[in-house]
Amino acid sequence: MRWSQAFLPVLKESPSDAQIVSHKLMLRAGLVRQTAAGIYAWLPLGYRVLQKIEQIVREEQNRSGAQEMLMPTLQSADLWRESGRYDAYGPEMLRIRDRHEREILYGPTNEEMITALFRDDVKSYRDLPRTLYHIQWKFRDEVRPRFGVMRGREFLMKDAYSFDLDEAGARQSYYTQMLAYLRTFQQLGIRAVPMKAASGPIGGDLSHEFIVLAPTGESEVFYDAAYEDFDWQQSDLAYGDEAGLQNLFDRVNSTYAATDETHDEARWATVAGDRQRTGRGIEVGHIFYFGDKYSNAMGLKVSGRDGTTVTPMMGSYGVGVSRLVGAIIEASHDDAGIVWPEAVAPWRVGIVTMRADDEPSNAAAASLYEKLRAAGVEVLFDDRDERGGVKLGSMDLIGLPWQVVIGPRGIANGTVELKRRSTGEREELSLESALARLTQ
Ligand code: ATP
Ligand code: MG
């Protein structure tokens, strides 16, 4: 992309209506614009990041054996009456009437809909277990939408739902999603610690929130330093390995990590003082087992192996895809702007010409731009007619992992400057070496 032809509005001033750094940077760097309270338009740069996150989440869900589908945002009130949640949900639910005075709602989540769909087509134990997911917009009329996309009213979520014949099977589905989450967040370039969460109506130990550590997080967190040496990728563990998954869960469960909601002083006291870590964190995912709550209420039953009838046991698994954009920025920025982890960067390389009127610089930059594109590298070429300093500032602000800075003096000597955004390291090298480095 050439910046001169792009819609990439960056702001010089920090917007006064934003309180936390990620929200400020998302507005300044032109990722989003608020169109109504808690509702955002994703501008091209922000949308590229959102799509990258979505894709990483999707690929790991697929590897874990979950199948993707797409459910609508609008749902009928009658569906929610089946579970009793139409009345129970409260003012966070956006309730709408259509032209025939039928009650509908903008989905805050999809347990009812997936249970009804599954009920209509699945009749036998042979069709279980299954895990289904979609990545879809949700609406929750939050009392206090704030911090930009971090607590919006409309937001993008990956939500998965598992169906199993019994609790033992449901535990495996839960462990599988736990592993998928560890791998997903690792690939996104962040660490999200699984912390014991409030377990809701049925109790038990199967409820974890995944928390990214950041000083501006909404929850207070307490965790064992063992998570600092934790093998997040768990590369030796296969998704089908039941004993291995049980081990992983046991390890997570026996290593203390909790938010203020579930913090247990007595257990905390058993963690050695020099291993106690406290701070704040942002919830980016939540996995949750709820047994037969919905299948029972909504009459989902399948025939069992021996002519019996079985009520499937379910779990749900959410990732805050749009919240992650903010959370990643909270975890990865500096005074000059965003520092994107490579995996989610909107472009991998930015090219900057220091003097827009210097023909040799422009020719070198255009040639590098075309060669990088031909090699399949995502590259943004800042060819705007602006002062070099302004362009360097914009490039730091939008946080692409690599910058190639091209100026008249360097070009006269046949060199350009390659800068790594995360460390600030710079290196003078020939155009050919820069190309080789960025395409290797
Ligand atoms: P919170 O406690 O932050 O209100 P929640 O527990 O209500 O979230 P879940 O129902 O567990 O949220 O939804 C799954 C994920 O969706 C959360 O882990 C979070 O990352 C994301 N999420 C929830 N509410 C919002 C929101 N208002 N804006 C953006 N993302 C959200
Ligand atoms: Mg939650």
Side-chain angles (χ1 to χ4, degrees):
M1 184 89 237
R2 281 174 181 265
W3 198 315
S4 64
Q5 294 162 17
F7 181 51
L8 294 175
V10 296
L11 309 176
K12 286 196 193 69
E13 304 293 320
S14 197
S16 56
D17 49 334
Q19 299 160 39
I20 61 170
V21 66
S22 61
H23 188 197
K24 288 190 175 121
L25 287 171
M26 287 185 73
L27 293 173
R28 273 192 67 203
L31 276 75
V32 291
R33 292 291 179 257
Q34 181 170 279
T35 58
I39 301 178
Y40 291 84
W42 291 80
L43 306 190
L45 188 128
Y47 191 47
R48 288 180 74 93
V49 176
L50 189 68
Q51 285 178 300
K52 294 218 163 160
I53 295 174
E54 193 181 321
Q55 190 58 19
I56 289 171
V57 171
R58 170 179 291 119
E59 283 170 13
E60 198 58 46
Q61 286 292 304
N62 292 346
R63 276 193 282 275
S64 79
Q67 297 170 69
E68 187 170 19
M69 61 185 294
L70 184 60
M71 289 179 269
T73 54
L74 293 175
Q75 308 187 24
S76 90
D78 285 341
L79 182 60
W80 284 65
R81 290 201 172 94
E82 289 190 43
S83 69
R85 275 211 295 183
Y86 191 63
D87 295 320
Y89 208 88
E92 279 194 2
M93 179 186 280
L94 178 62
R95 298 155 205 261
I96 309 167
R97 273 175 201 273
D98 68 13
R99 65 197 298 164
H100 305 292
E101 292 292 313
R102 276 187 296 245
E103 292 169 288
I104 53 179
L105 58 103
Y106 195 118
T109 178
N110 283 71
E111 281 83 4
E112 282 78 1
M113 190 176 282
I114 193 73
T115 305
L117 288 165
F118 207 76
R119 176 186 64 195
D120 292 345
D121 280 294
V122 172
K123 305 290 173 203
S124 156
Y125 69 91
R126 282 186 226 94
D127 296 320
L128 270 71
R130 291 288 183 276
T131 296
L132 296 160
Y133 76 97
H134 72 161
I135 301 174
Q136 178 62 293
W137 294 91
K138 305 287 185 285
F139 193 93
R140 294 182 187 172
D141 205 350
E142 301 273 355
V143 200
R144 219 169 292 109
R146 56 178 190 162
F147 302 157
V149 301
M150 209 82 93
R151 183 165 295 286
R153 294 198 299 163
E154 189 188 45
F155 59 96
L156 189 60
M157 194 200 287
K158 183 284 299 182
D159 38 326
Y161 303 90
S162 64
F163 297 87
D164 280 273
L165 285 171
D166 51 27
E167 189 180 335
R171 293 191 82 91
Q172 284 301 313
S173 298
Y174 184 95
Y175 301 163
T176 300
Q177 285 288 326
M178 177 175 270
L179 176 59
Y181 276 44
L182 292 174
R183 289 183 175 163
T184 299
F185 296 124
Q186 166 94 15
Q187 288 169 71
L188 291 171
I190 51 174
R191 271 188 184 172
V193 182
M195 303 200 180
K196 213 180 234 15
S199 46
I202 54 162
D205 55 358
L206 298 184
S207 177
H208 287 84
E209 289 175 349
F210 286 75
I211 306 277
V212 174
L213 303 169
T216 51
E218 290 187 300
S219 333
E220 200 179 348
V221 299
F222 307 81
Y223 61 98
D224 188 320
Y227 282 105
E228 288 164 2
D229 315 313
F230 190 76
D231 169 16
W232 300 90
Q233 194 65 39
Q234 297 287 312
S235 9
D236 292 337
L237 184 50
Y239 275 114
D241 177 352
E242 292 195 9
L245 286 168
Q246 180 71 53
N247 268 335
L248 168 65
F249 175 79
D250 290 343
R251 203 170 140 210
V252 167
N253 224 23
S254 60
T255 310
Y256 194 85
T259 65
D260 38 13
E261 271 183 37
T262 53
H263 185 51
D264 173 351
E265 284 293 346
R267 262 196 79 196
W268 184 232
T270 66
V271 179
D274 62 345
R275 292 207 342 231
Q276 290 183 348
R277 299 282 183 277
T278 59
R280 302 197 71 80
I282 303 164
E283 179 191 330
V284 290
H286 189 177
I287 58 177
F288 191 58
Y289 169 66
F290 47 76
D292 63 0
K293 180 173 182 221
Y294 297 95
S295 40
N296 198 22
M298 297 179 67
L300 163 62
K301 288 187 173 61
V302 299
S303 62
R305 224 170 245 106
D306 37 19
T308 54
T309 305
V310 180
T311 302
M313 305 302 254
M314 297 174 57
S316 72
Y317 314 92
V319 171
V321 176
S322 51
R323 176 179 287 184
L324 270 164
V325 180
I328 291 170
I329 297 172
E330 285 296 327
S332 186
H333 68 271
D334 61 19
D335 290 342
I338 302 168
V339 181
W340 290 116
E342 292 245 358
V344 301
W347 289 275
R348 181 154 182 265
V349 181
I351 301 175
V352 176
T353 47
M354 293 303 287
R355 287 251 320 258
D357 58 356
D358 182 58
E359 272 322 309
S361 301
N362 285 335
S367 145
L368 179 64
Y369 173 63
E370 292 305 338
K371 285 177 181 155
L372 284 170
R373 276 168 33 118
V377 176
E378 293 179 312
V379 51
L380 174 68
F381 174 14
D382 189 352
D383 59 344
R384 290 174 302 165
D385 185 9
E386 287 275 3
R387 283 189 299 114
V390 170
K391 295 207 254 184
L392 291 180
S394 303
M395 212 36 105
D396 277 350
L397 174 64
I398 68 169
L400 309 187
W402 295 97
Q403 299 173 8
V404 182
V405 182
I406 302 183
R409 229 174 308 130
I411 284 300
N413 300 324
T415 64
V416 298
E417 188 181 88
L418 182 65
K419 175 175 150 186
R420 193 185 182 126
R421 177 67 180 88
S422 57
T423 58
E425 274 170 272
R426 297 153 199 273
E427 200 181 329
E428 292 271 327
L429 70 195
S430 71
L431 213 50
E432 293 67 43
S433 315
L435 179 66
R437 188 79 68 77
L438 295 169
T439 51
Q440 82 198 356

